[in-house]
């Protein structure tokens, strides 16, 4: 059974308006509609969860974990498996009823999402999904819808960070309780535009705490990232490419492949792993393969090795490598082999055996390396030199150029912008947007590389920490620093990060390559008036506006 859909949560949505037959990301209409129904169920969970919190009743960690994982599974390029969402909808329905029983006395005016009970079959779920679509209420005020969707997409992004922290046993009640508050708020018809705007700003602040939690989880488990040279060319031998963000899965795979003659490469969002002492100590973690996520179909085409997708950034696999692409955790593609966690453990034997069978690359490529590992700890260890270089005029300006990458034309802007930045400026970069220029040699300034790779979107906390520390050092606000943010966005983690930056009062952010389809003109004007948010233009024009010459 196939049907129509509506989704505009990512930057590449069709015609910058919305996907209506299938997603540009690769999801079919059934998956899109089941995702809508799952979010609808989670809003009901939020309603009862907030009632429980109001009564001082505890919500168990397993419920927190489910809400986070379920939200994360609806983020762009995570899971394309219809059966996965059927299972999640049933589980959400069960949790909703359990919370309802916990709360006991429920008022009469309950929203439909809280009353709704999911059917047993996918066919009936797809029929019911019509009640859950974004545009189901044609009479809803456009600005209210815009702010509700902005909140939902911010939650999807925050869920990704909370998921990774939870895997390493780090969680915070304030972070998790806000999911219930925010999800419940999207059902409350008494909330005004101002109320919802303020909730989005609150989400930004909570997301900052969530990213801080994840930073503590990663550095606690794997040490503080260190500047490290990473091989970006191929080595002879069997191999497994690890993509996504889950450092724990990478660590487990490194442990299980040690001594087996298999080279492990990171891919895309996993590249920061090379900077962590507890990961880079494995000698068979040999380098990084390929570029940004949207090039994987071409770069993985017919490769004589395996791929492990640990979180998002999955595209529809071509037949030439579908049998050697394995998923794990909440990632899924129909009929692709999936490695489950059983009793808290994962057995990577199937992917290890497949990699050995395929044989790998037959020869080494000439070596080329790039530098990663400039997280807040490493960068701020040079704070005195940086401050002195700014005071003496050796460093004129800092640019944070980063965010998501994607296939839409216009993203070459970020390559050109980086290339045209003057030699007395420093570029901080993070997330897969950096693959537009991270293999360029841009020289040094004041004894430091001009290009400092802070990490991936999961490491955005590092970039913010660096900016806040510099502001403290110069006894000024972040907006008074010689710092400009030039960001690219694609999916919902970028939405969460943008809300965090705005909630911290950071102004004059340039955003591209297009502005979100779910932001109405009125809401956009508020963001422009309040925060100076602006679209990118051309590298020359934007550099002229920033530097004044």
């Amino acid at each position: 059974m196939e049907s129509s859909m509506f989704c505009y949560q990512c930057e590449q949505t069709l015609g910058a308006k919305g996907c209506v037959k299938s997603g540009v990301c690769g999801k079919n209409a059934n998956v899109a509609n089941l995702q809508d129904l799952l979010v609808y169920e989670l809003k009901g969970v939020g309603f009862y969860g907030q009632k429980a919190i109001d009564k001082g009743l505890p919500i168990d960690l397993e419920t927190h974990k489910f809400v986070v994982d379920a939200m994360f599974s609806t983020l762009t390029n995570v899971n394309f498996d219809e059966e996965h969402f059927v299972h999640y909808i049933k589980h959400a329905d069960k949790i909703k009823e359990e919370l309802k029983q916990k709360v006991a006395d429920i008022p009469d005016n309950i929203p439909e999402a809280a009353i709704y009970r999911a059917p047993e079959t996918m066919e009936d779920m797809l029929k019911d999904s019509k009640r859950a679509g974004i545009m189901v209420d044609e009479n809803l005020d456009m600005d209210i819808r815009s702010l509700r969707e902005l909140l939902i997409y911010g939650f999807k992004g925050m869920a990704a960070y909370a998921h990774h922290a939870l895997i390493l046993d780090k969680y915070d009640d304030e972070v998790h309780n806000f999911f219930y508050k925010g999800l419940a708020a999207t059902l409350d018809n008494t909330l005004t535009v101002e109320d919802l705007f303020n909730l989005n700003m609150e989400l930004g602040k909570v997301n900052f705490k969530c990213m801080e939690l994840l930073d503590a989880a990663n550095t606690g488990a794997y040490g503080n990232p260190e500047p490290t040279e990473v091989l970006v060319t191929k080595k002879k031998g069997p191999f497994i490419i690890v993509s996504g963000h889950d450092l724990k899965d990478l660590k487990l795979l490194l442990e299980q492949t040690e001594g087996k003659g298999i080279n492990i490469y990171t891919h895309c969002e996993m590249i920061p792993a090379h900077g962590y002492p507890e990961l880079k100590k494995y000698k068979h973690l040999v380098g990084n393969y390929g570029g940004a996520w949207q090039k994987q179909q071409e770069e993985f085409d017919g490769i004589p090795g395996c791929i492990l997708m640990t979180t998002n950034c999955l595209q529809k696999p071509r037949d030439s490598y579908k049998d050697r692409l394995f998923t794990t955790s909440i990632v899924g593609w129909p009929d692709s082999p999936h490695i489950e966690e059983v009793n808290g453990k994962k057995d990577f034997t199937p992917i290890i055996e497949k990699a050995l069978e395929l044989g790998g690359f037959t020869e080494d490529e000439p070596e080329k390396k790039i530098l990663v590992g400039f997280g807040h700890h490493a960068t701020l260890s040079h704070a005195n030199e940086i401050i002195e270089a700014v005071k003496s005029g050796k460093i004129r300006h800092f640019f944070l150029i980063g965010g998501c990458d994607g296939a839409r034309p216009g993203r070459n802007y970020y390559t050109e912008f980086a290339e045209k930045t003057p030699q007395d400026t420093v570029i901080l970069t993070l997330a897969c947007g950096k693959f537009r220029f991270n293999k360029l040699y841009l020289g040094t300034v004041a004894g430091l590389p001009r290009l400092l790779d802070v990490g991936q979107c999961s490491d955005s906390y590092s970039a913010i920490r660096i900016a806040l520390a510099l502001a403290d050092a110069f006894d000024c606000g972040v907006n008074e620093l010689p710092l400009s943010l030039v960001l690219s966005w694609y999916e919902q983690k970028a939405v969460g990060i943008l809300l965090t930056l705005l909630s911290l009062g950071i102004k004059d952010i340039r955003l591209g390559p297009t502005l979100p389809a779910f932001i109405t003109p009125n809401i956009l004007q508020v963001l422009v008036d309040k925060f100076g948010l602006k679209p990118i233009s051309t590298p020359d024009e934007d550099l002229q506006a920033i530097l004044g010459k």
Side-chain angles (χ1 to χ4, degrees):
M1 177 180 172
E2 196 79 26
S3 56
S4 62
M5 59 176 277
F6 184 81
C7 180
Y8 59 3
Q9 70 177 8
C10 85
E11 190 271 335
Q12 288 181 186
T13 194
L14 190 65
K17 293 181 180 178
C19 295
V20 294
K21 292 184 178 178
S22 62
V24 172
C25 65
K27 67 183 175 185
N28 63 37
N30 285 353
V31 168
N33 292 328
L34 290 169
Q35 287 181 350
D36 285 346
L37 190 61
L38 175 56
V39 172
Y40 186 73
E41 283 274 24
L42 292 171
K43 290 177 181 179
V45 170
F47 176 81
Y48 293 116
Q50 185 57 44
K51 296 293 183 190
I53 292 166
D54 290 343
K55 288 175 173 283
L57 301 172
I59 298 177
D60 62 84
L61 188 58
E62 283 304 307
T63 299
H64 290 333
K65 186 178 186 302
F66 174 78
V67 170
V68 162
D69 287 358
M71 285 295 286
F72 189 11
S73 73
T74 68
L75 189 144
T76 304
N77 292 93
V78 173
N79 198 299
F80 300 82
D81 187 350
E82 295 171 13
E83 291 296 336
H84 167 94
F85 292 104
V86 170
H87 168 74
Y88 264 46
I89 288 165
K90 289 180 179 179
H91 199 110
D93 201 67
K94 177 175 176 287
I95 286 175
K96 185 171 66 177
E97 286 304 302
E98 288 172 352
L99 285 171
K100 180 180 178 181
Q101 296 303 318
K102 180 191 285 275
V103 174
D105 55 323
I106 304 296
D108 295 331
N109 56 337
I110 309 174
E112 286 186 15
I115 299 169
Y116 173 74
R117 294 305 309 270
E120 284 298 311
T121 68
M122 183 191 303
E123 183 178 5
D124 287 335
M125 287 180 185
L126 287 168
K127 289 177 183 175
D128 283 358
S129 69
K130 292 181 175 62
R131 73 173 65 215
I134 295 166
M135 298 297 181
V136 65
D137 184 355
E138 296 178 357
N139 298 316
L140 184 64
D141 179 87
M142 288 193 305
D143 296 331
I144 294 288
R145 179 186 288 115
S146 177
L147 287 167
R148 284 180 178 178
E149 292 305 308
L150 181 60
L151 193 65
I152 290 294
Y153 303 151
F155 272 124
K156 292 186 181 192
M158 187 165 75
Y161 302 130
H163 166 90
H164 291 299
L166 270 168
I167 281 172
L168 295 173
D169 298 320
K170 293 285 187 181
Y171 59 93
D172 182 272
D173 284 339
E174 180 186 347
V175 171
H176 289 285
N177 287 349
F178 188 71
F179 277 92
Y180 306 101
K181 178 180 178 179
L183 287 165
T186 64
L187 300 174
D188 188 344
N189 291 325
T190 69
L191 297 182
T192 64
V193 165
E194 184 178 3
D195 293 332
L196 288 166
F197 181 86
N198 290 337
L199 271 169
N200 275 281
M201 291 301 102
E202 187 177 354
L203 186 147
K205 291 177 181 176
V206 176
N207 188 50
F208 183 62
K209 185 163 191 174
C210 186
M211 290 193 295
E212 182 180 27
L213 198 69
L214 176 57
D215 180 78
N218 284 337
T219 56
Y222 311 116
N224 285 302
E226 302 165 346
T228 304
E229 283 193 321
V230 179
L231 186 75
V232 292
T233 46
K234 302 170 188 172
K235 288 184 71 68
K236 181 180 178 180
F239 65 90
I240 298 171
I241 297 164
V242 186
S243 192
H245 305 73
D246 199 318
L247 298 177
K248 185 176 180 180
D249 279 334
L250 175 62
K251 178 77 156 50
L252 293 173
L253 183 66
L254 288 168
E255 290 172 350
Q256 293 181 33
T257 51
E258 194 165 24
K260 289 185 167 63
I262 297 175
N263 291 326
I264 305 297
Y265 297 87
T266 57
H267 171 257
C268 193
E269 298 280 11
M270 192 61 80
I271 193 172
H274 295 276
Y276 287 95
E278 290 302 309
L279 298 175
K280 70 177 185 175
K281 70 181 183 183
Y282 292 91
K283 301 304 180 187
H284 61 302
L285 180 62
V286 296
N288 187 75
Y289 179 87
W293 66 272
Q294 79 277 2
K295 295 182 177 180
Q296 67 188 258
Q297 290 173 323
E298 175 186 342
E299 292 177 341
F300 294 167
D301 193 21
I303 58 170
C306 293
I307 308 108
L308 177 66
M309 301 297 301
T310 66
T311 52
N312 54 312
C313 302
L314 172 65
Q315 284 188 304
K316 179 181 180 180
R318 292 179 179 177
D319 290 341
S320 66
Y321 66 88
K322 187 176 180 180
D323 67 328
R324 58 204 64 178
L325 183 143
F326 291 70
T327 60
T328 191
S329 186
I330 60 171
V331 190
W333 187 271
D335 303 323
S336 283
H338 187 81
I339 294 173
E340 296 281 1
E341 182 177 301
V342 180
N343 297 323
K345 296 181 180 179
K346 291 186 181 182
D347 182 359
F348 289 106
T349 299
I351 192 171
I352 291 170
E353 291 178 345
K354 185 71 173 178
L356 290 170
E357 173 194 328
L358 290 166
F361 298 124
T362 56
E363 59 184 8
D364 292 341
E365 279 186 336
E367 284 194 359
K368 181 178 180 180
K369 295 182 178 181
I370 61 173
L371 198 58
V372 304
F374 285 93
H376 61 87
H377 184 269
T379 301
L380 293 175
S381 70
H382 297 280
N384 291 336
E385 299 101 296
I386 293 170
I387 293 163
E388 183 54 38
V390 172
K391 288 180 177 178
S392 67
K394 291 179 182 177
I395 295 177
R396 181 177 20 153
H397 205 84
F398 297 88
F399 295 97
L400 175 59
I401 311 173
C404 308
D405 203 4
R408 189 190 292 276
R411 289 183 180 267
N412 59 321
Y413 164 95
Y414 297 94
T415 310
E416 294 175 19
F417 192 99
E419 289 176 324
K420 290 181 176 181
T421 54
Q423 288 298 306
D424 58 355
T425 62
V426 172
I427 297 173
L428 301 169
T429 191
L430 52 79
C432 55
K434 68 164 174 254
F435 286 101
R436 292 279 164 173
F437 51 83
N438 72 328
K439 293 180 183 177
L440 300 176
Y441 179 69
L442 299 178
T444 62
V445 59
L448 291 171
R450 283 194 58 234
L451 180 61
L452 302 178
D453 185 345
V454 176
Q456 289 308 119
C457 58
S458 301
D459 303 298
S460 299
Y461 172 76
S462 268
I464 296 170
R465 274 284 305 273
I466 292 167
L468 293 174
L470 289 176
D472 284 344
F474 287 106
D475 194 22
C476 66
V478 172
N479 294 314
E480 298 168 280
L481 286 171
L483 168 68
S484 299
L485 279 66
V486 185
L487 306 180
S488 55
W489 81 284
Y490 171 70
E491 40 87 317
Q492 297 78 61
K493 283 181 289 181
V495 174
I497 292 166
L498 179 63
L499 290 174
T500 292
L501 293 170
L502 297 180
S503 73
L504 292 170
I506 296 174
K507 297 184 177 181
D508 299 322
I509 298 170
R510 284 172 166 78
L511 185 68
T514 63
L515 293 173
F518 51 84
I519 298 291
T520 61
N522 287 340
I523 301 304
L524 178 59
Q525 194 59 52
V526 171
L527 297 176
V528 170
D529 293 343
K530 192 172 181 67
F531 300 107
L533 187 69
K534 50 181 70 68
I536 58 172
S537 55
T538 69
D540 288 328
E541 289 172 348
D542 288 344
L543 280 166
Q544 169 72 26
I546 292 167
L547 298 175
K549 59 179 178 178

